[in-house]
Amino acid sequence: MSLGQRLEIRQGQGLVITPQLQQAIKLLQLSNLELEAVVEAELERNPLLQREDGDPVGDSHEADAPETPREDRGELELTDRDTAQANSDMDASSGDIYGDDEPTVREREPSSADMGDGPMVDWSRAGKSGGFDGDDETLERALKREKSLGEHLTDQALIAGFTPPEMAVAQILIDGVDEGGYLRADLSEIAERLGCDMALIERVLGVCQGFEPTGVMARSVPECLKLQLIERNRFDPAMEALIENLELLARRDLSALRKVCGVDDEDLTEMIRELKALTPRPGAAFGAEPSSGVVPDVFVRQDPSGGWRVDLNSDTLPRVLIDQKYHAKVSGSARSADEKTYLTECLNQANWLIKSLDQRARTILKVSSEIVRQQDGFFVYGVEYLRPLNLKTVAEAVGMHESTISRVTTNKYIATPRGVFELKFFFTSSINSSDGTSAHSAESVRHKIKSLIDGEKVSGEILSDDRIVEILNEAGVDIARRTVAKYREALRIPSSVERKRQSR
């Protein structure tokens, strides 16, 4: 075999992930708070950028340019004609980032035929270089930061085996916990807002009150102490009487306490010692860091015509523009090639940032509108009517890549008449139908399993997992025995053998 050198010419097509494209990808997955920090950094770095404050028609606008109300557009404003022209030039050279078409701001059922996307790129393979300054430092700070009480409770809720409706209730309950670990939310108001039974709220709360730290999510000091005593297996009638009469203990009325609890001096002293060893503020261990409320990125409102109106939250959209007067002034005084190159780079970066912000807003609106259309039953009837939905379904409907949908729905929140939810909340798993009809949501199948087992008290027949599979198959649900067992365990229901033993 001989070795030699030769020249070959090959022609091929490939997608180059430029630093600007990486910037647009990063902007898409940022939350509104992270986006604000990035824009602030760009405003400090780029002298040609300025924030649009107050009147949207600034000095850089044409005097006769018509103004469209910001709340009617529901999207970021491109406020400069020169900027728009520069954006069109960039489109011709690099192509669109997320999609070419603009969605209607208030749309009921967006047409998938009009929502073309750019190249089907797997954004998850995008490199880490060319990003914003300080990304590594931000990641390091995030890793070092201690979890808040809400995050700690959410992590436990994710592995508690909740169904999607139960998880929605659990998240709302967790949002109502104060820094001391007490639940301050009104359960009846939550049940009315979510359109579900009070029994569901109380069942989820009962599970959440078993989370760590012990005593968390109690609604009062006696209930907090009761949860801790139950965990220590020390909640007896005498101790129950003691915590129900804490005002007597506060007044040091020991004789009244002895009478109420039915114990002697020695037992009462021991009970008080045990009570002092408990934690009246279980959430205090996570610090007193003030919790900031979630600012929704999208609003969903009932439309008078009977549909749903989807609007972007304009308060979360940074409005920046190019200072054309300053650019004309400094470009006229630039003499050296380095100065002209620097100004050109600043102008291109400013144009690209404005374009990226605008397309980010349009993409969020497009995806949110499709999610609202898919989950219409939830908004009308309540949490029990969540449909099975995945990223692929939404991606095909809006003409985007699944990874783009994943980025859009990360750390983005939607305010609905039933509460504020993360966009990822609306994606639930599905179970195929045995008769070829539409799939069943995993939540509805869990509900059917629970209903069958609850009905054992009436019929007197203890159903095995195999028997439950047969019943579900007859009802058109294609499900395996191991899936039934998994759902049953997630619902904290014992096996048929254990249920038979309990019934005896």
Side-chain angles (χ1 to χ4, degrees), residues 32-175:
N32 48 43
L33 295 178
E34 294 169 334
L35 180 65
E36 182 66 25
V38 168
V39 172
E40 283 293 337
E42 288 295 310
L43 287 170
E44 294 179 2
R45 188 190 65 82
N46 195 329
L48 298 183
L49 278 175
Q50 69 176 21
R51 184 180 296 279
E52 178 190 352
D53 296 321
D55 187 2
V57 183
D59 295 335
S60 300
H61 297 280
E62 296 288 344
D64 57 348
E67 179 184 356
T68 303
R70 201 173 294 128
E71 59 271 15
D72 288 342
R73 283 198 298 262
E75 57 190 33
L76 184 74
E77 300 176 47
L78 287 181
T79 55
D80 195 274
R81 292 185 179 181
D82 294 335
T83 300
Q85 180 62 39
N87 288 342
S88 64
D89 296 338
M90 293 163 63
D91 283 340
S93 60
S94 61
D96 205 351
I97 303 174
Y98 311 124
D100 296 330
D101 300 316
E102 302 178 6
T104 304
V105 175
R106 295 181 179 130
E107 49 188 308
R108 178 65 181 91
E109 296 183 2
S111 173
S112 59
D114 296 333
M115 294 182 180
D117 194 16
M120 289 298 184
V121 186
D122 186 357
W123 300 127
S124 61
R125 299 178 181 271
K128 299 294 183 182
S129 60
F132 301 111
D133 295 336
D135 279 354
D136 295 337
E137 290 80 358
T138 303
L139 177 61
E140 183 179 356
R141 287 196 300 269
L143 293 176
K144 290 182 178 179
R145 181 180 65 86
E146 294 184 0
K147 284 186 177 181
S148 65
L149 177 60
E151 292 170 339
H152 181 65
L153 295 175
T154 300
D155 290 344
Q156 296 177 77
L158 291 174
I159 60 175
F162 285 138
T163 64
E166 290 172 343
M167 188 62 195
V169 173
Q171 191 59 61
I172 292 178
L173 292 176
I174 291 172
D175 291 341

Side-chain angles (χ1 to χ4, degrees), residues 390-443:
N390 54 34
L391 296 175
K392 182 179 180 181
T393 302
V394 176
E396 292 176 349
V398 300
M400 295 182 180
H401 196 272
E402 290 181 43
S403 56
T404 303
I405 306 299
S406 177
R407 282 176 165 80
V408 170
T409 54
T410 300
N411 295 325
K412 309 297 188 305
Y413 293 86
I414 181 170
T416 73
R418 297 194 178 276
V420 179
F421 304 93
E422 189 178 7
L423 287 177
K424 283 190 177 298
F425 161 78
F426 296 98
F427 293 93
T428 61
S429 57
S430 63
I431 296 178
N432 293 331
S433 174
S434 59
D435 53 8
T437 59
S438 59
H440 304 271
S441 70
E443 185 281 325

Side-chain angles (χ1 to χ4, degrees), residues 158-460:
L158 291 174
I159 60 175
F162 285 138
T163 64
E166 290 172 343
M167 188 62 195
V169 173
Q171 191 59 61
I172 292 178
L173 292 176
I174 291 172
D175 291 341
V177 176
D178 64 12
E179 64 275 7
Y182 287 90
L183 178 63
R184 303 304 183 187
D186 185 89
L187 301 187
S188 59
E189 187 273 335
I190 294 176
E192 181 180 357
R193 180 153 55 96
L194 290 180
C196 61
D197 296 333
M198 193 67 178
L200 173 63
I201 306 293
E202 294 175 348
R203 183 170 70 250
V204 174
L205 177 59
V207 176
C208 292
Q209 287 182 340
F211 292 168
E212 292 292 336
T214 306
V216 75
M217 300 188 73
R219 288 160 288 183
S220 62
V221 174
E223 186 177 22
C224 177
L225 300 177
K226 173 184 176 181
L227 294 173
Q228 297 179 58
L229 290 169
I230 291 175
E231 194 270 340
R232 299 185 181 194
N233 197 24
R234 281 294 293 117
F235 187 71
D236 52 29
M239 191 64 79
E240 181 179 8
L242 176 60
I243 64 175
E244 289 178 353
N245 294 273
L246 293 177
E247 68 280 358
L248 297 177
L249 180 60
R251 297 200 304 263
R252 304 297 299 175
D253 191 349
L254 300 184
S255 60
L257 280 176
R258 285 194 299 270
K259 182 178 180 180
V260 170
C261 298
V263 295
D264 56 20
D265 290 341
E266 183 179 355
D267 289 338
L268 181 60
T269 302
E270 179 65 20
M271 291 167 59
I272 294 175
R273 187 186 63 81
E274 292 182 5
L275 204 61
K276 289 182 177 180
L278 303 178
T279 304
R281 288 172 57 85
F286 291 83
E289 207 173 281
S291 59
S292 57
V294 173
V295 179
D297 301 87
V298 183
F299 291 110
V300 176
R301 302 180 179 91
Q302 184 77 40
D303 193 270
S305 62
W308 297 99
R309 190 179 68 188
V310 182
D311 297 313
L312 287 175
N313 184 0
S314 60
D315 293 338
T316 64
L317 302 176
R319 288 182 287 273
V320 294
L321 51 84
I322 298 176
D323 192 340
Q324 294 293 338
K325 288 186 176 181
Y326 181 72
H327 176 255
K329 179 180 178 181
V330 295
S331 61
S333 60
R335 296 291 182 266
S336 64
D338 291 340
E339 292 176 349
K340 294 180 180 179
T341 301
Y342 173 73
L343 287 176
T344 301
E345 291 178 353
C346 288
L347 180 61
N348 290 337
Q349 288 292 333
N351 283 325
W352 186 268
L353 177 64
I354 294 175
K355 174 182 172 65
S356 299
L357 291 174
D358 179 67
Q359 289 188 328
R360 175 185 181 273
R362 298 175 191 274
T363 305
I364 293 175
L365 178 63
K366 185 186 299 185
V367 173
S368 301
S369 300
E370 178 61 23
I371 291 176
V372 171
R373 188 182 71 85
Q374 294 279 355
Q375 297 290 7
D376 180 78
F378 166 78
F379 299 105
V380 177
Y381 301 109
V383 71
E384 299 290 341
Y385 291 84
L386 279 173
R387 292 180 53 194
L389 185 65
N390 54 34
L391 296 175
K392 182 179 180 181
T393 302
V394 176
E396 292 176 349
V398 300
M400 295 182 180
H401 196 272
E402 290 181 43
S403 56
T404 303
I405 306 299
S406 177
R407 282 176 165 80
V408 170
T409 54
T410 300
N411 295 325
K412 309 297 188 305
Y413 293 86
I414 181 170
T416 73
R418 297 194 178 276
V420 179
F421 304 93
E422 189 178 7
L423 287 177
K424 283 190 177 298
F425 161 78
F426 296 98
F427 293 93
T428 61
S429 57
S430 63
I431 296 178
N432 293 331
S433 174
S434 59
D435 53 8
T437 59
S438 59
H440 304 271
S441 70
E443 185 281 325
S444 64
V445 174
R446 291 190 188 97
H447 181 73
K448 291 177 181 178
I449 294 174
K450 188 176 185 303
S451 300
L452 289 173
I453 296 177
D454 290 342
E456 292 176 347
K457 298 178 181 178
V458 178
S459 63

